Amino acid sequence: MKPAHASALQPVVSVERSRGWLREWGVMLSLLLLAFYPVLRWMYDRWNAPDSYTSHGFLVPLISGYLVYANRAALLKEKRRPARSGLIVLGFGILLFIASGLLRVYFTSGFALLICLVGMLAYWGGWNWVRQLWFPLFFLSFMLPLPEIAIARINLVLKLLVTRVAVFGVDLLGIPVVMQGAKLRLESGELVVGDVCSGLRSLIALIALGVLFAYFYGKKSWLVRGALLGAAAPAALGANMLRIALNIIFVHFFGPELLFRPLFT
């Protein structure tokens, strides 16, 4: 028969053990982030840039941290089974980090940080812990800024796509428009479609939001998950198609001067 005071002491032991784990993990994580400081600084600069496509990056680590905290009960039930194979993953992440630094490719350095996190967690807590935290780890990928060359190419493709659809729509309304690349010629003037109208900013943010909502609300239904994820691209691109079409209609009826005139002088 167990002593009466045993059950009362058990929560204290669990709390002390969890605090010890948190201290260990905190030290390891701090050392990793310190080593990756140049990459973190690059990400911060890209998030904070006036023309940033990942300004939501500030929120991503906070959301992932909240998800880890919300899953803490299930996590503490998992026994620590440190896996030496995690060192292989950690070593690969470090090699990728070094190679990216030598080649000055910060984008792959960001992925190296995530790989090191996975390897470190597997070595410290085991692969069961990695499975428990797969989504917070995966969601961190949405904080990584895309390479500038990739942004330029995607912007061009999306910009031409939404412009063609918008021109097709207003043509059905009887408004004549000649499309020359990103330049639109109307009877009353011309418009130039900028990169901001491509919808890429909205698309990146809405995909991240769709993935998060699918995780929270689609656990019991793949149909709900598919609907949430599938709605991101049409919403982002559709909004920009509508914006371009409305600008064309406005210029057709009122001219380009009124469109670009300040509201208050």
Side-chain angles (χ1 to χ4, degrees):
M1 186 173 179
K2 294 183 180 180
H5 62 276
S7 60
L9 291 177
Q10 187 62 36
V12 177
V13 174
S14 298
V15 169
E16 288 301 322
R17 183 177 62 179
S18 64
R19 285 177 179 173
W21 292 356
L22 287 174
R23 281 193 294 269
E24 291 177 18
W25 177 253
V27 171
M28 295 170 65
L29 184 60
S30 298
L31 291 174
L32 181 68
L33 295 180
L34 183 62
F36 276 83
Y37 172 77
V39 181
L40 297 174
R41 181 67 191 182
W42 166 75
M43 286 194 290
Y44 173 81
D45 291 339
R46 289 288 300 274
W47 297 342
N48 206 37
D51 58 346
S52 175
Y53 285 79
T54 47
S55 55
H56 61 279
F58 291 102
L59 297 175
V60 173
L62 298 178
I63 294 171
S64 288
Y66 168 76
L67 294 175
V68 174
Y69 177 78
N71 200 34
R72 67 191 184 282
L75 195 61
L76 290 175
K77 290 179 182 178
E78 292 283 350
K79 292 183 179 180
R80 284 182 64 192
R81 295 186 175 88
R84 292 185 179 180
S85 55
L87 289 177
I88 299 175
V89 179
L90 179 60
F92 175 75
I94 293 173
L95 289 176
L96 180 60
F97 170 63
I98 294 172
S100 301
L102 293 174
L103 297 173
R104 297 187 179 277
V105 182
Y106 283 106
F107 178 67
T108 51
S109 293
F111 275 107
L113 173 59
L114 302 186
I115 292 171
C116 286
L117 278 174
V118 172
M120 193 171 69
L121 183 61
Y123 176 70
W124 182 75
W127 289 108
N128 285 339
W129 282 48
V130 175
R131 281 192 289 271
Q132 284 286 345
L133 299 178
W134 74 269
F135 184 78
L137 290 169
F138 164 74
F139 193 71
L140 286 174
S141 62
F142 287 104
M143 72 179 180
L144 303 180
L146 291 173
E148 294 286 357
I149 187 170
I151 288 176
R153 290 178 178 177
I154 297 172
N155 256 335
L156 179 61
V157 172
L158 292 180
K159 180 169 65 175
L160 294 178
L161 172 63
V162 296
T163 303
R164 285 193 188 98
V165 176
V167 169
F168 175 77
V170 297
D171 186 61
L172 294 177
L173 298 176
I175 299 176
V177 183
V178 176
M179 178 179 171
Q180 297 177 333
K183 184 177 291 186
L184 304 178
R185 297 189 181 277
L186 293 84
E187 293 178 349
S188 54
E190 70 177 36
L191 286 172
V192 177
V193 181
D195 289 342
V196 293
C197 293
S198 69
L200 182 57
R201 283 190 179 90
S202 304
L203 183 60
I204 293 173
L206 285 177
I207 288 176
L209 195 61
V211 168
L212 185 63
F213 272 67
Y215 174 76
F216 276 120
Y217 300 107
K219 292 184 178 180
K220 296 183 180 179
S221 172
W222 284 101
L223 182 62
V224 174
R225 286 182 177 179
L228 288 170
L229 293 174
L237 300 181
N240 283 277
M241 292 172 189
L242 180 62
R243 177 165 66 171
I244 295 172
L246 291 176
N247 276 277
I248 293 173
I249 293 171
F250 193 91
V251 170
H252 175 73
F253 286 104
F254 303 105
E257 295 81 9
L258 186 59
L259 180 65
F260 298 107
R261 182 183 299 172
L263 292 177
F264 303 98
T265 56

